[in-house]
Amino acid sequence: TSSIKNERCCLVSLSGSGSTDSGGARGDSLDLAAHDAPDARWPRQNSLSMKEWDIPYDELKLFEMIGTGRFGTVYRGSWHGAVAVKLLHVHSLTDHCLQLDTFKHEVATFRKTRHENLVLFMGACMKPPRLAIVTSLCKGMTLYTHIHLRKDKFTANKSVIVAQQISQGMGYLHARGIIHKDLKTKNIFLENGKVVITDFGLFSVTKLCFGTNARGDSLGIPPGWLCYLAPELVRALRPHASLHLPFSKDTDVYAFGTVWYELLCGEYPFKGQPPEAIIWQVGKGVKQSLANMQASRDIKDILMLCWSYRANERPDFPHLLSTLEKLPRKRLARSPSHPVHLSRSADS
Ligand code: ADP
Ligand code: MG
């Protein structure tokens, strides 16, 4: 049975003044008629081909809830077989026409993706207020569950295999012009040793879910989010402005650096520090110290490069992949397509 997670956000006051509750949910009702009109900004051909990816909501069978994240609630479902259905929270739409466009645009982006290390996008329900994304159901556990909940230990060799597959999936996304914007261990599944990346390009649908986290002058920071944010993103944090952060391929590489650190160290960088302290340090270019880390110079170099303060000094994924391939391995006779076997730590 799956546990239902309902995580609370950390509120960080950015202005220093007392926060005034502007009321998160505005409860705007949706004007359905507005969405039935043809959208002038979408070429006709495009909107026709979009139809292929429309899944009528009634065709979906929803079973138990798997969990709740920033954008919506994920259910185990059935649509020509087992699927994961991400129902978006759309109760608090403000400028909903524009946001529906954003959603459609993102759906148009997903359908272009076909890669072994990316979750299979199957379609979407695009009739408000029923907005949902349907993907294949990932069978394994997330890296987050392995690393932080089960305390599974990844050897350097296993970490390299996982990192190579992440780099392959991310390299593919970037080559197709897609920025993930939310690369984190919670969005990376391990299915029999194969990496499956989820939730790429979805970040801007938070526009649809706007109002769930932000209050007054405070910024809602989901737990474990900050340490994936590159300095240029941290510096751009404002109340309500996480919607307009300057994400780029380079910010994805920074996030990959954090995933690489978690794989190797079994914890988040800046562990136990309050959000304000992390924001201040990352914004100034202070990195998590690697002094106590048991790893070779090459492995630490990858980390430091990915976490470069200047975005243009970070490597790209093809470069990372070739660096990872060149790492000296201890008695490693597996190729990336072979399963990664994990050992449980003695205490779990
Ligand atoms: P987050 O990524 O922050 O955990 P999500 O809303 O993306 O939040 O996911 C909510 C829950 O649903 C998580 O437990 C996640 O592992 C699970 N989940 C998301 N997508 C899938 C999928 N395609 N297959 C199986 N489980 C999924
Ligand atoms: Mg997710």
Side-chain angles (χ1 to χ4, degrees):
T1 55
S2 316
S3 62
I4 295 168
K5 285 178 283 170
N6 209 343
E7 293 182 327
R8 296 185 61 123
C9 287
C10 206
L11 289 179
V12 175
S13 176
L14 290 179
S15 71
S17 65
S19 67
T20 45
D21 194 331
S22 60
R26 285 168 194 80
D28 293 14
S29 64
L30 284 167
D31 177 5
L32 291 179
H35 299 287
D36 291 330
D39 187 336
R41 285 175 35 185
W42 282 77
R44 189 170 160 71
Q45 202 183 359
N46 197 352
S47 51
L48 273 179
S49 58
M50 290 290 290
K51 285 259 182 283
E52 289 170 38
W53 302 93
D54 255 347
I55 298 179
Y57 189 76
D58 301 339
E59 283 187 14
L60 283 175
K61 277 202 199 88
L62 295 188
F63 306 123
E64 82 276 7
M65 187 199 279
I66 301 175
T68 298
R70 223 174 323 157
F71 316 124
T73 305
V74 179
Y75 292 86
R76 190 173 68 82
S78 176
W79 188 71
H80 305 287
V83 293
V85 180
K86 181 166 275 196
L87 276 186
L88 303 179
H89 298 144
V90 289
H91 54 276
S92 57
L93 292 188
T94 43
D95 189 2
H96 56 260
C97 265
L98 190 72
Q99 289 150 10
L100 190 74
D101 269 5
T102 308
F103 180 65
K104 285 184 175 172
H105 187 74
E106 286 178 344
V107 167
T109 303
F110 298 140
R111 69 194 169 121
K112 290 193 295 184
T113 58
R114 287 160 188 270
H115 189 279
E116 238 208 313
N117 300 117
L118 300 181
V119 77
L120 176 70
F121 169 77
M122 297 179 70
C125 303
M126 289 192 274
K127 254 201 177 317
R130 301 276 190 217
L131 297 187
I133 290 167
V134 182
T135 64
S136 58
L137 185 70
C138 299
K139 284 161 225 88
M141 283 177 279
T142 62
L143 281 185
Y144 169 83
T145 302
H146 279 296
I147 296 170
H148 300 285
L149 302 182
R150 290 167 48 108
K151 312 278 182 202
D152 290 332
K153 298 287 178 227
F154 286 70
T155 61
N157 286 353
K158 286 167 191 164
S159 301
V160 169
I161 294 171
V162 169
Q164 282 178 342
Q165 296 184 58
I166 299 170
S167 303
Q168 275 164 354
M170 290 300 300
Y172 170 91
L173 277 184
H174 284 185
R176 312 233 43 177
I178 301 168
I179 300 168
H180 190 303
K181 300 183 185 173
D182 201 19
L183 183 65
K184 56 180 185 178
T185 46
K186 284 184 177 179
N187 283 336
I188 303 169
F189 280 82
L190 254 192
E191 279 186 350
N192 293 321
K194 191 181 86 172
V195 163
V196 178
I197 303 172
T198 64
D199 286 345
F200 29 89
L202 253 187
F203 192 87
S204 36
V205 302
T206 21
K207 283 178 187 169
L208 290 160
C209 318
F210 187 66
T212 49
N213 290 343
R215 289 219 193 106
D217 293 330
S218 298
L219 170 73
I221 296 185
W225 180 51
L226 266 185
C227 58
Y228 294 105
L229 297 187
E232 62 271 28
L233 295 177
V234 165
R235 295 175 74 98
L237 288 174
R238 303 279 182 278
H240 304 297
S242 57
L243 316 173
H244 306 290
L245 290 174
F247 290 103
S248 65
K249 290 177 183 173
D250 305 320
T251 62
D252 277 351
V253 171
Y254 184 97
F256 169 85
T258 299
V259 171
W260 181 232
Y261 180 87
E262 291 173 76
L263 280 167
L264 297 163
C265 298
E267 59 189 36
Y268 284 120
F270 301 110
K271 185 189 171 198
Q273 298 199 32
E276 291 86 347
I278 302 177
I279 290 174
W280 189 85
Q281 290 174 86
V282 174
K284 289 248 178 271
V286 179
K287 299 184 183 82
Q288 161 71 47
S289 159
L290 305 184
N292 296 327
M293 188 176 163
Q294 302 280 326
S296 69
R297 186 73 260 155
D298 306 340
I299 282 178
K300 292 187 183 183
D301 282 348
I302 295 177
L303 214 37
M304 283 300 140
L305 278 175
C306 292
W307 283 346
S308 296
Y309 183 78
R310 291 190 192 85
N312 62 1
E313 288 173 8
R314 293 174 210 145
D316 59 14
F317 281 105
H319 184 92
L320 277 168
L321 191 59
S322 72
T323 308
L324 288 163
E325 277 163 0
K326 283 185 211 130
L327 283 179
R329 312 235 187 126
K330 292 184 196 127
R331 294 188 297 109
L332 188 77
R334 290 195 205 104
S335 76
S337 57
H338 281 70
V340 178
H341 298 289
L342 296 170
S343 58
R344 297 287 292 272
S345 62
D347 57 334
S348 56

